[in-house]
Amino acid sequence: MKREKVKSIKEVLSLYIKEMGLESGLDEVRVSALWDELLGPSIASATRQKSLKEGKLYVQLRSSVVRSYLFTERKNIILKINNAMGKTLITELILY
């Protein structure tokens, strides 16, 4: 039996995730964790829920003051999260 190109576990898992259609779900989990990590505990505690659909990150907030602040920082937040993910995943941030 002849061995073909040897693949790392990372490559095999990456292929499996793509073939099973799990990539979008994992991206949503990663973005949710990055939101809390990058924006800090005070913003995380003011956040009710987050969801990612078709490049849009929907974030529900408890505080209108926090919403106003984040509204002014939308572009920077999108850049931070996309850079941390290593790809352009978020095109729009919707705060409500």
Side-chain angles (χ1 to χ4, degrees):
M1 184 160 97
K2 190 174 184 180
R3 191 177 259 195
E4 304 249 345
K5 181 183 173 190
V6 178
K7 294 183 179 181
S8 69
I9 292 175
K10 182 179 179 180
E11 290 173 320
V12 171
L13 283 175
S14 193
L15 284 171
Y16 179 76
I17 288 168
K18 285 180 184 176
E19 286 179 13
M20 297 305 290
L22 302 173
E23 198 169 25
S24 64
L26 287 174
D27 285 343
E28 186 170 354
V29 170
R30 288 183 191 134
V31 166
S32 181
L34 280 171
W35 175 272
D36 295 343
E37 180 183 322
L38 294 174
L39 297 174
S42 60
I43 302 292
S45 67
T47 303
R48 285 192 178 159
Q49 72 182 57
K50 303 163 280 231
S51 65
L52 180 64
K53 293 179 183 147
E54 299 174 2
K56 296 178 183 178
L57 178 59
Y58 297 87
V59 180
Q60 184 179 20
L61 299 161
R62 289 186 174 95
S63 166
S64 61
V65 174
V66 172
R67 186 179 312 111
S68 295
Y69 167 72
L70 293 177
F71 186 81
T72 63
E73 294 294 316
R74 283 180 311 184
K75 291 181 183 178
N76 292 332
I77 294 168
I78 291 170
L79 283 173
K80 282 182 182 181
I81 294 174
N82 284 338
N83 286 338
M85 290 292 291
K87 59 184 173 181
T88 303
L89 189 61
I90 300 170
T91 56
E92 191 174 350
L93 176 60
I94 300 169
L95 306 165
Y96 65 99

